[in-house]
Amino acid sequence: ALLSLANYGLRFLRWGSFLATVGAVIPLRSSFAIFFATYVMVITPGKLGEVFKAGVLRDRHDVALARGLPIVLAERIYDFLAVLALVAAGMAFWDGPWHGAEVGLAAGIVFAGLLLGVRSSALRRRLVARAAATRQLGEHRLAIDDALAALSDLLAPRRGALQLANSTLAWFCECAGMWLVCRALAPQITLGDAVFVYAAGTLAGSLSFLPGGLGGTEAVMIALLGTLGVAVAAATVVAFIVRLATLWLAVLFGLAVFGVFRREILAPRPPSR
């Protein structure tokens, strides 16, 4: 659980950096409330509910959607790349099926391809247009060109390297959390194995677009642990505890923050004098 909280903390630092990059100046208290209260949205399909952040930034702090929405997109891009990087790294230690340098190299090539892909203006335009078409933002006018410029700043190579390192470390914390669980229930699982199992399960859950990856993530984790000789019962308990201390801890933490800051998040912005 503490490792999961470290994950959340590192991503909050990234969020603050993104706000500064697009020139959005808001109080630290409000930044904390918006970021963590929307953790409730992690159980929406593909986490698309997190575009609620952009709406709150607009309604409460007068941050244009053209600046708020790119932050949400950049968070998802860096998270996806970080998890994929951990999958590629985990292959170097993986003792199960498909192990070997060839598979790790293939995963690395995919990672490099996606890293280059996010530099494509056409791809960024499609991402922005798709997010702007969601129910939460569809009724509001969004300056696509301004949003693309903000997203380009957030994905700039020098800044991107630092944010990718931050994101990778954040997700590694949760991989390490899985390893701690395995030390008690499946001691044959090494830290390298845990990195691959957790990252692969998380990646599969994200690609399934199921709410929070429910079902898909757990199934992949159990299956991969099984290939390493972990009994089904033990693998199931490992997956349950890991998801309890990652996904559901995030939801509970988000609910607690939302409860404390509910009025600050939902109340209309006071009129300017």
Side-chain angles (χ1 to χ4, degrees):
L2 289 174
L3 285 165
S4 293
L5 291 175
N7 170 292
Y8 310 157
L10 286 167
R11 289 158 66 192
F12 177 62
L13 291 176
R14 183 185 66 186
W15 159 261
S17 176
F18 285 170
L19 288 172
T21 298
V22 301
V25 180
I26 66 175
L28 180 61
R29 171 188 172 92
S30 297
S31 177
F32 178 91
I34 294 170
F35 181 79
F36 286 111
T38 52
Y39 266 33
V40 176
M41 303 293 185
V42 301
I43 54 176
T44 56
K47 298 185 181 179
L48 291 179
E50 288 195 21
V51 298
F52 179 69
K53 288 181 193 173
V56 176
L57 286 173
R58 179 202 64 223
D59 295 339
R60 294 292 299 157
H61 301 284
D62 203 25
V63 177
L65 289 177
R67 288 189 292 163
L69 182 58
I71 292 176
V72 177
L73 289 174
E75 286 184 311
R76 299 286 67 78
I77 289 171
Y78 281 115
D79 283 342
F80 185 81
L81 289 174
V83 172
L84 185 58
L86 288 169
V87 169
M91 288 304 303
F93 306 96
W94 177 244
D95 295 326
W98 321 296
H99 71 282
E102 294 84 359
V103 180
L105 179 61
I109 291 173
V110 172
F111 168 74
L114 289 174
L115 197 59
L116 292 174
V118 298
R119 302 298 303 158
S120 165
S121 59
L123 176 60
R124 291 199 298 266
R125 181 174 290 275
R126 290 186 63 183
L127 287 172
V128 170
R130 182 177 184 274
T134 58
R135 181 173 58 84
Q136 293 90 337
L137 301 180
E139 298 177 357
H140 303 278
R141 184 178 180 277
L142 176 66
I144 299 294
D145 289 338
D146 291 343
L148 286 171
L151 185 58
S152 296
D153 288 340
L154 294 170
L155 299 177
R158 182 176 298 180
R159 182 177 295 109
L162 178 62
Q163 298 303 344
L164 182 58
N166 171 293
S167 304
T168 304
L169 177 60
W171 287 103
F172 174 78
C173 287
E174 295 200 345
C175 295
M178 181 175 201
W179 177 62
L180 288 180
V181 177
C182 288
R183 287 182 64 185
L185 297 172
Q188 69 267 43
I189 301 301
T190 65
L191 177 59
D193 292 332
V195 167
F196 178 73
V197 172
Y198 185 84
T202 301
L203 186 63
S206 297
L207 294 175
S208 71
F209 271 79
L210 293 169
L214 289 173
T217 297
E218 293 85 351
V220 170
M221 288 180 176
I222 293 169
L224 290 175
L225 288 172
T227 64
L228 295 177
V230 180
V232 174
T236 301
V237 174
V238 167
F240 174 78
I241 294 175
V242 167
R243 293 288 272 170
L244 186 66
T246 53
L247 173 69
W248 294 110
L249 177 61
V251 173
L252 290 174
F253 191 71
L255 283 171
V257 173
F258 183 79
V260 173
F261 296 96
R262 182 174 181 274
R263 291 190 176 184
E264 185 170 330
I265 294 171
L266 297 181
R269 184 162 55 97
S272 57
R273 296 181 179 179

